[in-house]
Amino acid sequence: GLIMCSFTGVVYLLFSLLITTTIAQELPINQTRDGSYWLFRVLGNDLPPLQSSGQTYKNLKYILENEGELPQAKKAFLLNRIVDEEQHNLLLGLLKSHNIPDDMIIDRPIDWNIPMTERSFAANYFHRINEARNMALEYAFNRGAEWVILNDGNSFIPLPTWDKILETSKNDQFYITTPLVRLVEEQNPSWLNSSTTLFDLADKEKIAKEPQEGTLFFRFDAPRRFDEKLLYSRNNKWNLVYDVCGAAIPELKFKKKIFVEGCTAIDRPVIRLYSFPEPDGVIAIDSTANRGAVRRKSMKNFMIAVVERSEKYIGPKLHHSNRVKHQEEEEEE
C-alpha cells in the first residue's frame, strides 16, 4: 500500500505545473442511455525519431491480441488524419481482421485543399488532437454511451485497472482520472497482459521513472470538453484533467484554484506501450525535458513529409521551410 501511494503521489504531482484554463465546449448528445462503456482509442500519425514509423500499428496489434475482453466494454477507434497511406491501410486492415464493426471505426479524412495561413500549418491541421477527442466523445454519447474511456492508440488497459474503473463509475461523479505509466522497453505478453498490475511493472523496472500525463474518462452528462484551440504538445489534455480533477488529488488541494466538483482519482494505471524510438529519440524515453526537444524535431520531420506527399497541399501559399520556422517559434513561446 505504501509503495502504491508513494508512486501515485509522484505521478499526480506533475499536475501542479499545469494551471492553464480550459474552455468548456458543449457537445449535443442523445439523452437516451444504454448503460454502455465505450473504450475509444484515437490513432494518430507516427512521429520519427520520437517514435518509429509503424509503432502505432505494432502497438495496436499488441493491444488487440493481448488486452483481452473487458467486461461491458465497447471498443471503438478513430483514425485521425493518417498521412502515410500505407500505414493508414495497415491500421484499417488490422481493425477489420479483428472483426471491429464498421460503426465502431471513425476514419477522419484529410482535406488536401485546406487554406494555408501563417498560423494554420501542417502540424496544426494534422495534430488537432482535441478536435478528434471531442469527435469521439460526441460519437459515443450520441449512440447511448454512459461512459467514454478515452485513450490514444498506444494505451493498454489491464483487467485490474478496468475493474476499478467500473467499480468507481458507480459513484456519482462526472469524471474519472487514472495515472499513466510509460514502458521503457518493448512489451512482451509474458509480463504485460490482461492481468498485469503496477507492482508487476515496477518490480521488473519496465516503466519510466518520471511521472507521465494522466487519463480522463467522461460520463455522458459531464459539462466539460477538450479545448480545441490548444494544439499538440500544448498541454492539450492535461489542462482539462487539472481543471476538473485537481480537487480529487491531495497534492493539489493547497493550490489557489477553483476546481469543478465531480471527479474521482483512482490508483490503477493505464499503460502507454513502448514507442519504438529511433536511435536519436531514445533519450526521450525517460526524460520530459529531452522529450520536448525530440518532439520538436519530430514535428519538423513530419511537416516536411507532408509537403513531400502532396504538392497540392503545399500550393504557392506557404513553403514548408516557413512552416517549420513558425513551428519552432510556437514551441519557444
Side-chain angles (χ1 to χ4, degrees):
L2 181 61
I3 295 175
M4 176 66 79
C5 292
S6 175
F7 181 84
T8 304
V10 171
V11 170
Y12 279 122
L13 187 58
L14 193 57
F15 281 115
S16 62
L17 301 176
L18 306 172
I19 57 174
T20 53
T21 300
T22 302
I23 300 173
Q25 300 193 14
E26 298 296 329
L27 291 177
I29 61 172
N30 179 348
Q31 292 299 321
T32 302
R33 302 293 109 210
D34 63 8
S36 60
Y37 292 74
W38 284 51
L39 173 51
F40 225 126
R41 288 186 168 97
V42 178
L43 310 175
N45 291 284
D46 297 323
L47 295 175
L50 185 65
Q51 310 146 351
S52 66
S53 179
Q55 66 99 30
T56 299
Y57 176 84
K58 290 178 184 177
N59 286 337
L60 178 60
K61 185 173 186 293
Y62 188 91
I63 289 168
L64 293 172
E65 292 177 354
N66 295 283
E67 188 176 66
E69 294 297 322
L70 299 174
Q72 303 182 54
K74 291 184 176 181
K75 296 185 180 183
F77 303 84
L78 188 152
L79 279 68
N80 190 30
R81 294 173 175 162
I82 307 298
V83 173
D84 188 314
E85 187 174 351
E86 180 182 358
Q87 288 300 313
H88 169 272
N89 293 339
L90 284 172
L91 290 169
L92 201 56
L94 182 60
L95 293 173
K96 300 285 189 182
S97 70
H98 283 265
N99 301 315
I100 305 299
D102 290 343
D103 63 354
M104 301 300 280
I105 302 172
I106 299 177
D107 192 1
R108 197 178 185 203
I110 297 172
D111 180 5
W112 292 106
N113 292 305
I114 60 171
M116 295 297 294
T117 66
E118 293 291 313
R119 307 293 290 184
S120 177
F121 43 83
N124 294 0
Y125 177 76
F126 287 97
H127 289 282
R128 286 191 178 276
I129 185 64
N130 281 350
E131 287 182 0
R133 288 171 176 145
N134 286 340
M135 181 183 294
L137 289 171
E138 181 179 21
Y139 187 88
F141 288 140
N142 276 330
R143 286 156 181 78
E146 185 82 18
W147 280 89
V148 175
I149 290 81
L150 198 59
N151 282 311
D152 71 24
N154 300 297
S155 295
F156 186 96
I157 302 184
L159 189 56
T161 298
W162 182 257
D163 287 344
K164 188 65 174 181
I165 292 170
L166 291 184
E167 175 188 338
T168 305
S169 72
K170 307 304 181 185
N171 302 332
D172 185 19
Q173 74 265 295
F174 294 126
Y175 314 93
I176 298 172
T177 184
T178 73
L180 182 141
V181 297
R182 182 182 297 274
L183 297 185
V184 297
E185 65 179 72
E186 183 176 354
Q187 54 273 358
N188 186 290
S190 66
W191 51 265
L192 180 61
N193 49 61
S194 61
S195 63
T196 297
T197 67
L198 177 59
F199 293 111
D200 297 331
L201 298 177
D203 288 345
K204 296 179 175 63
E205 298 184 345
K206 303 295 186 182
I207 55 178
K209 295 181 177 62
E210 288 197 0
Q212 307 295 316
E213 62 181 1
T215 59
L216 190 62
F217 311 142
F218 295 74
R219 195 171 69 184
F220 74 95
D221 54 351
R224 301 287 294 275
R225 296 294 185 267
F226 292 101
D227 183 357
E228 296 181 3
K229 295 179 182 178
L230 294 177
L231 304 177
Y232 175 75
S233 82
R234 290 295 179 183
N235 293 335
N236 49 78
K237 178 172 66 173
W238 274 81
N239 77 336
L240 179 57
V241 178
Y242 178 82
D243 268 4
V244 301
C245 289
I249 304 167
E251 289 82 359
L252 300 183
K253 286 187 176 179
F254 67 91
K255 292 294 181 181
K256 294 180 180 180
K257 190 170 180 63
I258 298 174
F259 296 98
V260 176
E261 295 295 329
C263 175
T264 300
I266 64 177
D267 58 7
R268 307 288 175 85
V270 169
I271 300 161
R272 203 295 183 185
L273 300 182
Y274 190 60
S275 58
F276 298 92
E278 295 184 347
D280 51 348
V282 174
I283 60 172
I285 292 177
D286 198 15
S287 169
T288 302
N290 290 337
R291 189 170 183 79
V294 176
R295 182 188 286 115
R296 288 191 289 273
K297 179 178 181 179
S298 301
M299 292 300 292
K300 289 195 292 184
N301 292 346
F302 173 75
M303 287 185 285
I304 293 171
V306 167
V307 168
E308 292 174 348
R309 285 189 176 279
S310 178
E311 292 293 328
K312 186 178 182 180
Y313 176 71
I314 305 172
K317 300 170 186 174
L318 188 63
H319 190 270
H320 80 268
S321 62
N322 291 329
R323 284 202 292 275
V324 171
K325 178 176 180 293
H326 295 313
Q327 174 68 10
E328 291 173 333
E329 291 172 350
E330 282 274 302
E331 295 289 353
E332 290 172 357
E333 289 178 0

